[in-house]
Amino acid sequence: MMDDKLNIPLIENNKPGAMRTEDEKKALMQRLKRVEGQVRGIQRMIEEDRYCVDILVQLSAINAALKKVGYHLLEDHTRGCVSHAVANGEGDEAINELMKVIQQFSK
Amino acid sequence: MMDDKLNIPLIENNKPGAMRTEDEKKALMQRLKRVEGQVRGIQRMIEEDRYCVDILVQLSAINAALKKVGYHLLEDHTRGCVSHAVANGEGDEAINELMKVIQQFSK
Amino acid sequence: MMDDKLNIPLIENNKPGAMRTEDEKKALMQRLKRVEGQVRGIQRMIEEDRYCVDILVQLSAINAALKKVGYHLLEDHTRGCVSHAVANGEGDEAINELMKVIQQFSK
Amino acid sequence: MMDDKLNIPLIENNKPGAMRTEDEKKALMQRLKRVEGQVRGIQRMIEEDRYCVDILVQLSAINAALKKVGYHLLEDHTRGCVSHAVANGEGDEAINELMKVIQQFSK
């Protein structure tokens, strides 16, 4: 499982590209399409002068959905890039970056 | 300032409609259009197999933007509906609802 | 209910003192004593070199307990000081302060 | 650096003990002693009927301090136990547990 990660393609800035499977990508895209729809739904609610509390409840739902997407990506990243770096004895930098993104994400 | 709120129009479920000014609505719509663009940006990043950490940073930015929209709505709501209810001696229920939505929103 | 709040005692910086009942104070003190005990429990876990994940779970429990204390205080404050100010036509500043503290608290 | 972790002592439930250095432990204990003092400070504020908003600001400070302790432990744990497990080809379970605790902690 680790072996097929030895040749992670580098993209811009020498950052490794992701190694998400087609299934994972499809699942993430589906969630994000739904979030996009929810954001448009809130625009409609604003236009229709809907009750603030109802809009706030919808906003909470979007935040929860985006958090789920975030946790998936975080897990992918830890299982993929971070584990790969650790297994190659280069974990320090990968873990620094991971901790920074966790802090930013859980703000 | 309170007077023009005495005739809050009721919408479905007898919930009062919002009393946002055109300027407030325009500002909220602009923020939400930008969020919609950011969500589509993340879909593109997934399709292009971009680096997880970069996507997570973008997700944090969307969460921050949605929180700002939420605080605006919360403030509108408190200044409008809640204040109106309190001034009319009917604050209890409005404050119950406010507290519930704050808890949900700050999860 | 609002009447007994007309003479809110001012303390340092002209800030109004709280109007918590003895029961509310007792309940808050109990929660905070428990939190104090939990914090000391974590110190013990550190001294005993306990497993990080177990300590993190305890930390989450403390955060949840403190959030509950915070929501109680926020509700007290909104029902007491903020409602009082609104009823007296002086709601603007009280709501500004409320919004600021909600933002800080839900970080 | 990884070598001295090959013999992680197991404690109750076969959970590995922590591998914090004395300096790390001292720093964590100092932070937690300060948090304990802050919690007692809030108890005093309740007893003295202090202004809700001032108490809420103090609560936010405690939450921020506890989050810092949490991030330190999370980082220790990832650099220590998780990396060790990954390097030994046993990363899956360690990462599952890590993700769960991150979710709980960032609630």
Side-chain angles (χ1 to χ4, degrees), chain C residues 14-32:
Chain C
N14 287 339
K15 282 176 191 162
M19 294 152 302
R20 289 179 275 278
T21 65
E22 284 308 308
D23 277 2
E24 283 167 343
K25 281 172 72 168
K26 222 169 121 180
L28 284 168
M29 286 302 283
Q30 259 172 0
R31 283 178 192 274
L32 287 165

Side-chain angles (χ1 to χ4, degrees), chain A residues 3-32:
Chain A
D3 295 16
D4 60 357
K5 280 165 191 163
L6 290 171
N7 295 304
I8 303 175
L10 296 181
I11 54 169
E12 46 156 330
N13 303 323
N14 285 340
K15 283 177 192 162
M19 294 152 302
R20 288 178 276 278
T21 65
E22 283 309 306
D23 278 1
E24 283 167 342
K25 282 171 70 168
K26 222 169 122 180
L28 285 168
M29 286 302 284
Q30 257 172 0
R31 282 178 192 274
L32 287 164

Side-chain angles (χ1 to χ4, degrees), chain D residues 5-6 11 15-16 21 28-29 42 45 47 51-52 55 58 68 76-77 90-91 93 99-101 106:
Chain D
K5 280 164 192 163
L6 290 171
I11 54 169
K15 281 177 192 163
T21 63
L28 284 168
M29 286 302 284
I42 288 188
M45 291 176 93
E47 272 170 354
Y51 188 44
C52 291
I55 305 181
Q58 283 305 309
K68 264 193 197 156
D76 277 8
H77 178 62
E90 297 161 352
E93 209 185 329
M99 289 303 129
K100 263 206 322 229
V101 84
S106 60

Side-chain angles (χ1 to χ4, degrees), chain A residues 51-53, chain B residues 2 5 8 16 19 73-99 101, chain C residues 78-79 82-83 86-87 95 98-99:
Chain A
Y51 188 43
C52 290
V53 171
Chain B
M2 203 104 320
K5 281 164 191 166
I8 303 177
M19 295 151 302
L73 289 169
L74 205 59
E75 187 168 353
D76 277 8
H77 178 61
T78 310
R79 280 193 205 289
C81 301
V82 179
S83 293
H84 179 66
V86 168
N88 279 15
E90 296 162 353
D92 271 7
E93 209 184 330
I95 291 174
N96 282 345
E97 191 188 46
L98 179 68
M99 289 302 130
V101 84
Chain C
T78 309
R79 281 195 205 288
V82 178
S83 293
V86 168
I95 292 174
L98 179 68
M99 289 304 130

Side-chain angles (χ1 to χ4, degrees), chain C residues 2-39:
Chain C
M2 201 107 319
D3 295 16
D4 59 357
K5 280 164 193 165
L6 289 172
N7 295 304
I8 302 176
L10 295 182
I11 54 167
E12 47 156 332
N13 303 323
N14 287 339
K15 282 176 191 162
M19 294 152 302
R20 289 179 275 278
T21 65
E22 284 308 308
D23 277 2
E24 283 167 343
K25 281 172 72 168
K26 222 169 121 180
L28 284 168
M29 286 302 283
Q30 259 172 0
R31 283 178 192 274
L32 287 165
K33 286 281 173 209
R34 212 176 309 138
V35 169
E36 193 190 329
Q38 288 173 302
V39 174

Side-chain angles (χ1 to χ4, degrees), chain C residues 46, chain D residues 20 24-32 69 73:
Chain C
I46 299 283
Chain D
R20 289 179 274 280
E24 283 167 345
K25 281 171 70 169
K26 223 168 120 180
L28 284 168
M29 286 302 284
Q30 259 172 0
R31 282 179 193 273
L32 287 164
V69 172
L73 289 170

